[in-house]
Amino acid sequence: MSRIAYVNGQYVRHTDAAVHIEDRGYQFADGVYEVCEVWNGNIVDVPRHLDRLDRSLTELQIDWPMTRSAVEFVLRQVVRRNKVHDGIVYIQVTRGVAKRDHFFPADDVAPSIVITARRSSPEAANAQAEKGISVFSYPENRWPRVDIKTVALLPNVLAKQAAKEKGGKEAWYVDADGCVTEGGSTNAWIVTKAGALVTRPAENGILRGITRTVILDLIEREGLVFEERPFTLEEAYEAKEAFVTAASTIAMPVIRIDDRIIGNGHPGSVATRLREQFHTATDLQAV
Ligand code: PLP
């Protein structure tokens, strides 16, 4: 089956899908994106993802390329046309195509939109979660506006690649105060020896993950102890558990940070339960 992508109003074969060489996303990383999980034939948390897309677009003064309901329709179409039962659907919006010039283009330049979908194996992801992952710390290398989900991900690419070369699956950013901000493409969490879940406040230094927000709802529902505060890398080394969250990973246990084994070296019970319970707290839209 050939994959289908949506590009600026048309459904095209994935292999032929392209944007112009003067698209500002290509030349300036002048664009934003969202990744929604597709789970069991449903798109997960569409309203929250589109609210965040709206915020990112507003912060960068980029217009919606089409109405929000049209985006929702195309999301479902792309998932359906690619027969994705489990995987992700990706939305990217850039400021559009214009002669290369740093200044914003004229008002008649329309934003570009691309939507793609990809299958992934829930069995493989669950097998990974049963083993847990290793993460490696990396000095914060990004601009201060990491709250905007922009496609300018080169710093994240470098951090994650450095982790991969050491045998890790994720990088954990550490700021000038020695505190963990977040992962290269995930939010970072620990569980203290006293059993409290800790994650950094979303006000600065991190992207406000949609998965993070769902986990906060679950924590409240389950009556778990929660502390929203920065934590240091040293504190993470000593934690009972650690895990990361993102739409593409849900809650993924961390069993090693740098050369330190976390807890007993196996996925923790809190992270594992949050992973198992995750979709009971999400908004699911059947495709
Ligand atoms: N932090 C960063 C830097 C990310 O890139 C992502 C996801 O791509 C997240 C956190 C998690 O966000 P979400 O839970 O919305 O996928």
Side-chain angles (χ1 to χ4, degrees):
M1 191 199 88
S2 59
R3 286 178 68 197
I4 301 292
Y6 178 85
V7 184
N8 291 326
Q10 291 186 312
Y11 296 95
V12 293
R13 279 165 42 154
H14 195 272
T15 44
D16 301 330
V19 291
H20 194 273
I21 54 167
E22 286 200 310
D23 190 281
R24 291 180 62 97
Y26 178 58
Q27 294 196 323
F28 295 113
D30 188 359
V32 299
Y33 74 106
E34 282 296 325
V35 177
C36 303
E37 185 197 6
V38 181
W39 177 76
N40 200 23
N42 300 278
I43 311 183
V44 178
D45 282 323
V46 173
R48 279 175 163 158
H49 281 282
L50 294 188
D51 284 351
R52 188 173 62 185
L53 179 64
D54 181 58
R55 180 178 183 278
S56 297
L57 290 169
T58 303
E59 290 295 317
L60 298 184
Q61 300 170 54
I62 299 175
D63 291 334
W64 277 77
M66 53 198 193
T67 63
R68 187 172 161 138
S69 57
V71 171
E72 285 190 32
F73 176 81
V74 176
L75 278 176
R76 283 195 299 276
Q77 280 293 313
V78 172
V79 171
R80 215 179 274 165
R81 288 177 190 227
N82 287 283
K83 298 190 169 49
V84 176
H85 188 254
D86 295 282
I88 55 140
V89 58
Y90 176 87
I91 316 169
Q92 176 168 321
V93 179
T94 72
R95 203 180 302 274
V97 177
K99 188 181 85 176
R100 189 179 183 282
D101 184 350
H102 290 66
F103 298 114
F104 289 1
D107 288 346
D108 61 354
V109 171
S112 300
I113 179 163
V114 168
I115 299 183
T116 57
R118 190 168 79 193
R119 293 178 189 171
S120 65
S121 154
E123 293 78 23
N126 288 337
Q128 181 70 72
E130 278 170 27
K131 285 197 290 187
I133 62 166
S134 300
V135 305
F136 287 87
S137 58
Y138 194 90
E140 185 61 75
N141 64 350
R142 303 172 297 166
W143 75 326
R145 295 305 310 274
V146 294
D147 57 303
I148 308 172
K149 198 164 170 64
T150 81
V151 296
L153 292 173
L154 180 58
N156 311 58
V157 165
L158 298 177
K160 288 185 71 104
Q161 180 63 22
K164 184 179 176 188
E165 287 170 11
K166 293 177 191 159
K169 292 266 189 241
E170 180 56 303
W172 268 17
Y173 279 126
V174 179
D175 68 12
D177 300 325
C179 290
V180 174
T181 53
E182 63 179 333
S185 59
T186 55
N187 288 123
W189 300 72
I190 58 171
V191 181
T192 64
K193 290 216 166 73
L197 281 124
V198 184
T199 200
R200 187 183 175 94
E203 275 59 47
N204 72 74
I206 70 166
L207 179 75
R208 188 187 293 273
I210 304 301
T211 318
R212 175 187 184 279
T213 304
V214 174
I215 296 280
L216 293 182
D217 289 348
L218 264 177
I219 287 171
E220 202 182 338
R221 197 180 82 189
E222 303 257 314
L224 301 172
V225 181
F226 173 58
E227 297 170 10
E228 192 174 37
R229 61 169 174 82
F231 61 89
T232 63
L233 184 59
E234 290 301 322
E235 187 179 2
Y237 288 154
E238 300 298 330
K240 188 158 111 192
E241 290 186 34
F243 60 99
V244 296
T245 56
S248 52
T249 57
I250 321 179
M252 179 61 71
V254 170
I255 53 157
R256 182 181 152 191
I257 306 171
D258 297 329
D259 58 357
R260 302 287 290 268
I261 299 298
I262 304 307
N264 61 7
H266 295 285
S269 57
V270 174
T272 301
R273 174 152 176 86
L274 291 172
R275 182 180 177 85
E276 286 165 1
Q277 292 291 309
F278 184 73
H279 293 104
T280 64
T282 53
D283 174 273
L284 301 174
Q285 284 189 16
V287 286

